[in-house]
Amino acid sequence: MLSILRDLGMGKKPIEGRIIEELQFLNEEIQSYNGKPFHKKVLYLAAPNITFRLLFGRRFDYNNPTFQRIITIMDDIVVNTGTPGAKYYSVFPILKCFLKQPGLVMDRISQLNEILRVLFKEAKEAKYEESFKTYAEAFLQKEEMEKTKKDTLFHDANVLATVLDLVMAGTETTSTTLQWGILLMMKYPEVQKKVKKEINLVLESGRLPRFEDRNAMPYTNAVVHEVQRFANLIPHIPHATSRDTYFKGYHIPKGTTVIPLLTSVLYDKRHWETPFQFNPDHFLDAEGKFVKKAAFVPFSTGRRLCLGESLAKMELFIFFTGLLQKFTFSPPRGMELDLNADPCFTLRPQPHLECCAEVI
């Protein structure tokens, strides 16, 4: 999967153009509310289309029934995977007969797989407008090259599994981080004001942001990073030891599940001055220049870190900057902004969150 994504130029110029184009569709959708409150799920709409273009070479209109169905199913999976019943099942699989959540999650995954199977079949038969090769094309090409091998990894079952992973991982994390970003801008309007000032200075011509603009926007870049740190979106990701390992005097046999707690680093007092507060200064030096931090590990670390890191970083910066360039966000009148996370599979903002967006 990683090899194919690298060949496709994930996180580079061709895909950047698609992200900028999708930003305009998202801006139009938000502007259609004419300053009236809209639910945070609107901010969920852009990232899936970047994933679909990468996979299948196509995007969906936001009101497309298939697209809406995909979003609904993914939401059900994320919400129900985070329920107590699903967590109990993860530890004690024998409880499956007594809990409804595991069956519900598997049912939703089956429904999503059916849709993805159709999209992949359509991608085989059609040529969309993309000028660069898609994941579907690349996978099929490798499948054809290795069709005589008995132990090939390139077959229908595996393409479906990898596509499912990319759709879920490439949508939920980026979309939810964007929701956290807008929530925090509403909660801290003084930060939003400073971001907008910097954007207007760098993009004074009114052109849309590019990823390289982050180098000229240290404060905005710091805010995007601090959103990811503060949100602590996925506190822990299960891994497994690939060989017998000795760590701090403990023997960990090969194949043992290991769960690194990313929260312990993202909120570590030794690395962050105010770890439990939203503070963009965590990523700025005394002169206001952006500073990289080794303790910034929202994508995990090592060889098994998130394979979509480069794409996610590009999407987050362009979407966040593009939205703040065009709109000023505020909560609906009377709404209290709660920064406590809703513990789904990821840590999401509260489900009732609504936003108002005023065009500059």
Side-chain angles (χ1 to χ4, degrees), residues 77 80-97 99 101-103 105-106 236 238 257 259 344-345:
I77 292 172
N80 284 285
T81 305
T83 59
K87 294 180 184 297
Y88 286 136
Y89 167 72
S90 294
V91 181
F92 305 108
I94 196 172
L95 295 177
K96 181 179 180 180
C97 298
L99 300 168
Q101 283 85 5
V105 170
M106 295 309 299
H236 40 71
T257 298
I259 306 177
C344 302
F345 176 75

Side-chain angles (χ1 to χ4, degrees), residues 313-354:
K313 286 181 175 180
M314 181 178 283
E315 288 185 70
L316 285 173
F317 181 82
I318 292 175
F319 286 147
F320 180 81
T321 304
L323 289 174
L324 269 292
Q325 179 186 32
K326 188 173 183 64
F327 303 105
T328 296
F329 292 91
S330 60
R333 183 176 299 178
M335 173 174 281
E336 293 291 331
L337 295 178
D338 186 355
L339 295 184
N340 291 310
D342 183 28
C344 302
F345 176 75
T346 54
L347 297 183
R348 289 176 160 188
Q350 292 295 314
H352 62 271
L353 178 66
E354 291 187 335

Side-chain angles (χ1 to χ4, degrees), residues 6 21 29 38 62 65 108-109 122 136 170 179 181 212 217 220 231 237 240 286 316 353 355:
R6 283 173 175 166
E21 182 181 3
E29 179 70 19
F38 62 90
Y62 294 154
R108 293 295 184 271
I109 289 175
E122 292 175 352
Q179 291 175 3
E212 63 185 21
M217 297 182 180
T220 303
I237 296 290
L316 285 173
L353 178 66
C355 320

Side-chain angles (χ1 to χ4, degrees), residues 28-195:
E28 290 174 5
E29 179 70 19
I30 292 174
Q31 190 169 351
S32 70
Y33 288 87
N34 296 315
K36 296 180 181 179
F38 62 90
H39 193 269
K40 68 182 179 73
K41 67 181 180 181
V42 172
L43 299 168
Y44 204 96
L45 299 175
N49 266 331
I50 304 303
T51 306
F52 291 138
R53 280 190 152 173
L54 188 68
L55 291 173
F56 307 119
R58 63 181 296 182
R59 74 171 298 276
F60 290 96
D61 291 333
Y62 294 154
N63 60 357
N64 179 283
T66 298
F67 183 77
Q68 288 292 329
R69 178 66 175 151
I70 291 171
I71 298 299
T72 299
I73 292 173
M74 289 194 297
D75 186 67
D76 286 347
I77 292 172
V78 172
V79 170
N80 284 285
T81 305
T83 59
K87 294 180 184 297
Y88 286 136
Y89 167 72
S90 294
V91 181
F92 305 108
I94 196 172
L95 295 177
K96 181 179 180 180
C97 298
F98 306 97
L99 300 168
K100 68 176 183 179
Q101 283 85 5
L104 181 61
V105 170
M106 295 309 299
D107 178 63
R108 293 295 184 271
I109 289 175
S110 295
Q111 293 175 24
L112 183 55
N113 274 335
E114 284 303 312
I115 297 174
L116 295 176
R117 188 176 287 110
V118 171
L119 292 178
F120 190 75
K121 181 176 183 293
E122 292 175 352
K124 283 184 179 181
E125 299 169 351
K127 182 70 175 178
Y128 296 108
E129 78 281 2
E130 304 297 336
S131 58
F132 58 93
K133 187 187 293 183
T134 65
Y135 184 86
E137 288 179 86
F139 198 100
L140 288 169
Q141 190 176 69
K142 290 182 180 292
E143 185 178 36
E144 179 65 23
M145 291 169 60
E146 297 194 5
K147 63 181 180 181
T148 59
K149 293 185 179 180
K150 293 183 178 179
D151 57 348
T152 179
L153 296 174
F154 297 94
H155 49 76
D156 289 348
N158 211 12
V159 71
L160 192 62
T162 56
V163 165
L164 177 65
D165 282 347
L166 287 168
V167 167
M168 291 298 301
T171 295
E172 170 61 21
T173 51
T174 302
S175 299
T176 301
T177 303
L178 189 60
Q179 291 175 3
W180 275 109
I182 299 305
L183 168 60
L184 289 163
M185 292 305 94
M186 294 192 297
K187 184 72 172 180
Y188 300 102
E190 69 281 3
V191 174
Q192 180 175 188
K193 186 175 180 180
K194 289 181 69 174
V195 170

Side-chain angles (χ1 to χ4, degrees), residues 122-306:
E122 292 175 352
K124 283 184 179 181
E125 299 169 351
K127 182 70 175 178
Y128 296 108
E129 78 281 2
E130 304 297 336
S131 58
F132 58 93
K133 187 187 293 183
T134 65
Y135 184 86
E137 288 179 86
F139 198 100
L140 288 169
Q141 190 176 69
K142 290 182 180 292
E143 185 178 36
E144 179 65 23
M145 291 169 60
E146 297 194 5
K147 63 181 180 181
T148 59
K149 293 185 179 180
K150 293 183 178 179
D151 57 348
T152 179
L153 296 174
F154 297 94
H155 49 76
D156 289 348
N158 211 12
V159 71
L160 192 62
T162 56
V163 165
L164 177 65
D165 282 347
L166 287 168
V167 167
M168 291 298 301
T171 295
E172 170 61 21
T173 51
T174 302
S175 299
T176 301
T177 303
L178 189 60
Q179 291 175 3
W180 275 109
I182 299 305
L183 168 60
L184 289 163
M185 292 305 94
M186 294 192 297
K187 184 72 172 180
Y188 300 102
E190 69 281 3
V191 174
Q192 180 175 188
K193 186 175 180 180
K194 289 181 69 174
V195 170
K196 294 175 71 66
K197 181 179 179 179
E198 185 177 66
I199 291 172
N200 290 334
L201 285 173
V202 176
L203 305 177
E204 58 181 347
S205 65
R207 69 169 176 81
L208 293 171
R210 296 189 294 266
F211 191 45
E212 63 185 21
D213 290 324
R214 72 194 187 283
N215 299 321
M217 297 182 180
Y219 188 76
T220 303
N221 198 19
V223 168
V224 172
H225 280 70
E226 179 64 0
V227 168
Q228 295 174 78
R229 185 202 69 81
F230 181 81
N232 184 31
L233 198 68
I234 303 181
H236 40 71
I237 296 290
H239 289 265
T241 49
S242 58
R243 61 178 181 271
D244 286 355
T245 304
Y246 291 88
F247 181 71
K248 292 189 175 183
Y250 291 92
H251 173 226
I252 307 175
K254 178 181 178 180
T256 301
T257 298
V258 179
I259 306 177
L261 186 61
L262 300 184
T263 308
S264 67
V265 183
L266 294 175
Y267 287 0
D268 192 333
K269 294 180 180 179
R270 295 171 298 177
H271 298 284
W272 313 102
E273 183 180 347
T274 55
F276 298 101
Q277 297 177 23
F278 177 72
N279 181 5
D281 288 342
H282 286 146
F283 293 92
L284 296 169
D285 63 15
E287 298 177 351
K289 296 180 180 178
F290 180 79
V291 178
K292 292 182 178 181
K293 295 288 189 74
F296 179 70
V297 291
F299 299 99
S300 192
T301 187
R303 292 182 63 191
R304 303 302 180 190
L305 55 68
C306 172

